[in-house]
Amino acid sequence: VQAGDSREGPRLLEEYLAKAPQGEHADEARFYIGRQALGINDFDAASRQFEAVLRMQPPSKLRGQALYLKAFAPSKMGRDGEALSYLAQLNPQEIPQNQKLALFQFWGATALNQGRNLESTLAYVKAWRLSEEPETKRSLENSVQEQIQNRLSEAELNYISTQYPRE
């Protein structure tokens, strides 16, 4: 299957999975099908494929990415609490470095939507530390400052200051 083969790819991968549901590349096939489904807003199909990757034994090398993308489906359907429950199971070390900034930005926004201000602030701080683009860094810094000034309790502020001392 070639990279640009968006219609034929999922069909061929489904055929592969029908023949070898536990095959050597089953995790990759399910992950690709899930990404394709997510791309066309078929959230239920995407979620099923990512869940299949998560259940694989031994654990797939795509586990972290599947969990991250699985969180998108409920978020897109307005179920941010459910999305956060998936993100809470995630080990950021399982995410490729080039995807971590987007992960923490998504996590921060999703937590903020749920009023989980400390969780949102911590995710935005992590994103800020990863960001190299000045405009993105400035936007994240503004989000963190706004939350610190208006949303966090004294205890939460103390926690942040111990976990993330000023650089």
Side-chain angles (χ1 to χ4, degrees):
V1 178
Q2 299 299 315
D5 218 354
S6 64
R7 282 178 283 197
E8 190 68 4
R11 185 186 65 74
L12 292 172
L13 293 170
E14 290 285 358
E15 287 178 17
Y16 167 77
L17 289 169
K19 293 175 186 171
Q22 302 300 319
E24 180 181 352
H25 301 287
D27 61 340
E28 295 168 24
R30 292 191 180 285
F31 185 78
Y32 178 82
I33 294 168
R35 282 186 44 196
Q36 289 296 108
L38 198 58
I40 59 169
N41 297 330
D42 187 349
F43 302 124
D44 289 332
S47 187
R48 281 191 305 276
Q49 293 300 328
F50 296 135
E51 184 61 36
V53 173
L54 296 173
R55 286 193 315 264
M56 290 185 161
Q57 291 299 324
S60 167
K61 65 186 179 301
L62 296 169
R63 181 196 171 283
Q65 292 176 75
L67 199 49
Y68 171 30
L69 292 179
K70 185 171 171 62
F72 272 96
S75 177
K76 294 289 186 185
M77 295 186 289
R79 299 191 321 252
D80 287 329
E82 184 180 342
L84 288 170
S85 72
Y86 294 123
L87 292 172
Q89 299 171 48
L90 181 66
N91 176 351
Q93 301 299 48
E94 295 177 304
I95 302 296
Q97 191 64 31
N98 66 348
Q99 294 177 17
K100 287 183 181 181
L101 173 61
L103 162 69
F104 289 121
Q105 287 176 303
F106 170 67
W107 199 330
T110 305
L112 186 60
N113 289 343
Q114 287 292 291
R116 291 164 65 168
N117 299 319
L118 178 60
E119 185 175 355
S120 174
T121 301
L122 292 171
Y124 281 146
V125 167
K126 290 174 183 178
W128 177 80
R129 287 186 163 185
L130 290 167
S131 178
E132 295 177 5
E133 204 279 314
E135 190 171 316
T136 302
K137 200 164 189 85
R138 194 170 26 262
S139 173
L140 290 164
E141 186 173 6
N142 289 340
S143 293
V144 168
Q145 286 178 348
E146 191 276 329
Q147 289 190 86
I148 286 172
Q149 292 171 359
N150 301 314
R151 298 174 188 252
L152 297 178
S153 70
E154 193 66 35
E156 291 169 329
L157 290 171
N158 288 336
Y159 176 79
I160 288 175
S161 67
T162 61
Q163 296 300 307
Y164 297 94
R166 288 193 162 257
E167 295 178 345

